[in-house]
Amino acid sequence: MALIVQKFGGTSVGSIERIEAVADRIAKHHASGDQLIVVVSAMSGETNRLIGLASEISDEPCPRELDMLVSTGEQVSMALLAMSLQKRGVDAISLKGSQVAIKTDSFHSKARIKDIDSTRLHAELSAGKVVIVAGFQGVDDQGETTTLGRGGSDTSAVALAAAVNAAECQIYTDVDGVYTTDPRVVDGAKRLDSITFEEMLEMASMGSKVLHLRSVEFAGKYGIPVRVLSSFKDGPGTLISVDEDNLMEAPTIAGIAFNRDEAKLTMVGVPDTPGIAYQILGPIGEANIEVDVILQNVGDEGKTDFTFTVSRNDLSRAEAILETHISELGAMEWRSDSKIAKVSVVGVGMRSHAGVAATMFRALSEVGVNMQMISTSEIKISVIIEEKFLELAVRALHSAFGLDADEAGDTDA
Ligand code: ASP
Ligand code: MG
């Protein structure tokens, strides 16, 4: 008998039919003797619908009331799922964040979980019940309802798993696992049996958006094994864990991640003196703009070019900052380019394997893709390229690192 936390996302509980299908799945699992805590999202589209209603009234609704409103989405699905289980003869109870209690700070719409009281959870489980918990919501010290930020139900599930020391946190979603890259770009993308937290963070932050990023950080920190599974089709899914041991035989590269959402800015002809990077990036940081890749050219006759990338949403703000500072920096001009993309190869295996960069650069050169910027970390090499070459680059890398599914007989693909 194991204690398992399961989470069902919006599409998995998107209609009464689907809620009943989830109830069938839970009833079957419960009958095998495991204890289950089930976290639910709002029915698909519901959170957006509620936010839309609020915005019809005000551009800036009161944050407390907005949380009161959007937190109802999860309460609808939890109660319906509980009824659906009860109809099947399974003893089930639904609990709001405050009833558990999932205690958070007081930052409405982006609250962080501070502590979870597991007393009630354990009591209900011992009574033989399936406990259904509303995802995405918590309660602050004043008893006010808070929410954790869009996609926050994943984080609710992982936090609950940590609080009750669950054997596994299973995230049921509309994909059957984490893939070597986006299957919409590469036909031969494969489901990974396992991936480490570190790799998952790199994959997730760059576009393979399967899990809420904070949930992965949380799971890594507390060592909670997380499994991503499809709620529509049976299969082992992808296990995300701290365990690197079973990766000895695994390929060096776990996957190819990419991100179209970047833009590049260059300060041309700045003096090649100490402090120049700080003078450029200081005001950018003060404006709360996150900088990703940074490149400074080799100086020539006391001048150099300084290039960096930011999220495309922040481009116009960053441009305005460069424009105001250009004269005091003694630069000649600034340029920007939003038609770029970032492609990364990710894998903990590159810690112990030389030649990953060479393989990557060769593969890109063979398809004629020019790299504008390169950045590396222990488990990732990223390059900035022209956006129109993105798909070509991803396919070339996927195949260069041997990630393509076998032509025939590969059931994973
Ligand atoms: N319902 C919330 C949202 O759509 C939380 C979640 O589904 O994880 O953001
Ligand atoms: Mg989600």
Side-chain angles (χ1 to χ4, degrees), residues 7 9-10 41 151 154 173 210-212:
K7 181 249 167 179
S41 284
D154 293 339
T173 175
V210 183
L211 286 178
H212 197 223

Side-chain angles (χ1 to χ4, degrees), residues 308-325:
F308 60 97
T309 67
V310 299
S311 158
R312 238 175 246 183
N313 296 331
D314 292 328
L315 177 61
S316 51
R317 285 202 300 138
E319 286 173 338
I321 290 168
L322 294 193
E323 183 59 38
T324 15
H325 290 271

